[in-house]
Amino acid sequence: MGNLLLGLLPLEPLCNVSDVLLSSFICRYCIFYCPLDLGHKLASSIGFRILATTMSTISQLQLIDRGVQQAGQVYNNAIIPMLIVGTVMGSGAEVLKPIAGILINRCQKNQLAYIKMSSNTKLALFLSILFVLEIQKSPLVLGLTRHQLLVYSLVMTITFKFLSLVYRTEHYIWLMEHRLCYTFFGGLSRDLNKFFKHKQKAHIHRGWMHSEYD
């Protein structure tokens, strides 16, 4: 998808046949034919998960940075295309989950579809915003160079993913998004209006009403 958005050949990552065959053979052997199921036991260990998380985070940051840089060259530093390409290349197949949800609900003839981005896609979008701000020389990045931003982003992302291995960070992200939507998109102002209208009605004192026969 990243190659399509950049005007490159979509199957270019599969041109190296030896690497594709070697990685496919190793993965298939470890999953199906490894003796005593050692591949599954190794993959389930906390040490392997920490190592895999670190390597995947480094690869994700490199893909996002490369996608933003190449999109800036192709689209003349246009902000929205750079954000889209960086997010797509950083989140991978997870960016297709909303589209898959729409298609599944369409096939099931269900008009209600709950569409949302995954946590990995949101993280890729946030990192893409940081790299775009660095390219645009924005003061929001506090004067950090590209390499400094890469190091700080790597430390921050690895810390976040390590926390995801221990805690349910998706729940806290959902709570934060809910509070932000409540504050900035009408929820807080609506409740404040109801509160002050209620207070005004409470201070109204009814006086005596006299008829013409009094």
Side-chain angles (χ1 to χ4, degrees):
M1 290 185 62
N3 286 352
L4 287 176
L5 294 174
L6 294 172
L8 303 175
L9 297 176
L11 300 182
E12 185 180 359
L14 303 179
C15 292
N16 197 335
V17 181
S18 59
D19 289 346
V20 173
L21 292 178
L22 180 62
S23 59
S24 301
F25 173 77
I26 292 175
C27 292
R28 187 173 181 84
Y29 179 81
C30 292
I31 293 174
F32 296 105
Y33 304 107
C34 191
L36 302 177
D37 206 11
L38 293 178
H40 175 71
K41 293 179 181 178
L42 178 63
S44 302
S45 62
I46 187 65
F48 180 83
R49 294 177 67 181
I50 291 175
L51 178 62
T53 300
T54 305
M55 295 178 64
S56 65
T57 304
I58 295 174
S59 176
Q60 183 182 22
L61 277 173
Q62 290 178 342
L63 286 172
I64 294 173
D65 181 45
R66 188 179 67 185
V68 170
Q69 295 290 335
Q70 291 181 351
Q73 296 174 2
V74 174
Y75 297 102
N76 295 324
N77 289 335
I79 295 177
I80 295 180
M82 293 166 69
L83 290 177
I84 293 176
V85 174
T87 304
V88 168
M89 296 187 68
S91 58
E94 292 188 7
V95 76
L96 296 176
K97 285 185 177 180
I99 302 176
I102 294 175
L103 295 176
I104 291 173
N105 282 270
R106 182 65 177 173
C107 294
Q108 295 177 350
K109 297 182 178 180
N110 185 8
Q111 300 298 327
L112 299 177
Y114 185 65
I115 306 301
K116 67 173 184 177
M117 293 191 299
S118 63
S119 298
N120 194 35
T121 304
K122 296 173 186 176
L123 178 62
L125 177 60
F126 175 73
L127 294 173
S128 300
I129 292 174
L130 291 181
F131 290 127
V132 169
L133 291 176
E134 189 275 327
I135 292 176
Q136 300 293 333
K137 304 300 181 182
S138 173
L140 295 176
V141 294
L142 304 177
L144 296 176
T145 63
R146 179 186 175 189
H147 298 290
Q148 291 174 339
L149 185 61
L150 278 171
V151 172
Y152 288 128
S153 301
L154 179 62
V155 173
M156 178 185 63
T157 309
I158 289 178
T159 304
F160 172 76
K161 292 196 173 184
F162 283 169
L163 290 175
S164 301
L165 296 176
V166 182
Y167 300 103
R168 293 178 57 191
T169 54
E170 292 185 357
H171 177 67
Y172 296 108
I173 293 174
W174 179 84
L175 287 177
M176 183 178 64
E177 291 176 349
H178 180 71
R179 294 302 178 187
L180 289 175
C181 291
Y182 173 77
T183 304
F184 295 106
F185 294 99
L188 180 61
S189 61
R190 182 176 62 251
D191 291 344
L192 289 176
N193 289 331
K194 290 181 180 178
F195 175 75
F196 286 113
K197 286 181 180 179
H198 178 71
K199 296 291 287 185
Q200 291 175 1
K201 290 181 180 179
H203 284 85
I204 295 176
H205 298 284
R206 294 184 177 274
W208 291 97
M209 297 182 63
H210 302 275
S211 65
E212 59 182 348
Y213 298 104
D214 290 341

